[in-house]
């Protein structure tokens, strides 16, 4: 099983680009890792969570420069790769291990 925290951080960096953010330096990567550690969670039902009102899961992270970033589905999407590794182009995931 080759999916873990580093891949979740990488995926969070990627999906944050969907909102127009760019994190590329080592320092910025550590900021994204902090975001993941403080805000991410595993959805019990990923498909259902995707349809949940953003207002229910929305939260804000303040960057070191004071700029806020609003998180919603990114909070659980980054962790979903542990169960659905195809989101990052891998075939193994935790669900196949538990079966």
């Amino acid at each position: 099983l080759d999916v873990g925290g580093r891949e979740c951080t990488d995926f969070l960096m990627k999906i944050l680009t969907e909102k127009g953010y760019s994190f590329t330096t080592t320092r910025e990567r550590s900021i994204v890792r902090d975001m993941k550690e403080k805000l991410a969670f595993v959805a019990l039902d990923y498909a259902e969570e995707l349809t949940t009102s953003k207002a229910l899961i929305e939260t804000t992270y303040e960057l070191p420069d004071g700029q806020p970033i609003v998180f919603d589905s990114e909070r659980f999407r980054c962790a979903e790769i542990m169960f659905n590794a195809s989101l990052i182009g891998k075939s193994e995931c935790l669900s196949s291990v538990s079966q």
Side-chain angles (χ1 to χ4, degrees):
L1 183 64
D2 293 330
V3 178
R6 177 175 289 182
E7 287 77 20
C8 290
T9 300
D10 291 343
F11 191 53
L12 181 55
M13 290 171 71
K14 180 182 175 188
I15 60 180
L16 284 171
T17 62
E18 296 170 6
K19 287 191 154 184
Y21 299 105
S22 177
F23 297 96
T24 56
T25 68
T26 302
R27 169 88 170 112
E28 291 168 338
R29 179 179 175 64
S30 69
I31 293 168
V32 174
R33 185 179 63 243
D34 186 60
M35 292 175 192
K36 175 194 73 178
E37 291 172 357
K38 290 181 177 173
L39 303 176
F41 65 92
V42 174
L44 293 176
D45 185 334
Y46 182 72
E48 182 180 320
E49 203 70 52
L50 283 172
T51 63
T52 300
S53 170
K54 290 182 179 186
L56 294 176
I57 57 172
E58 188 175 274
T59 192
T60 302
Y61 181 91
E62 187 174 315
L63 294 171
D65 66 1
Q67 177 185 354
I69 294 182
V70 177
F71 278 80
D72 46 67
S73 66
E74 300 86 11
R75 296 180 67 195
F76 61 87
R77 287 176 58 204
C78 69
E80 184 61 18
I81 65 169
M82 293 187 291
F83 306 97
N84 184 359
S86 66
L87 292 171
I88 57 169
K90 293 190 178 195
S91 59
E92 287 186 1
C93 64
L94 288 176
S95 62
S96 64
V97 171
S98 64
Q99 293 176 354

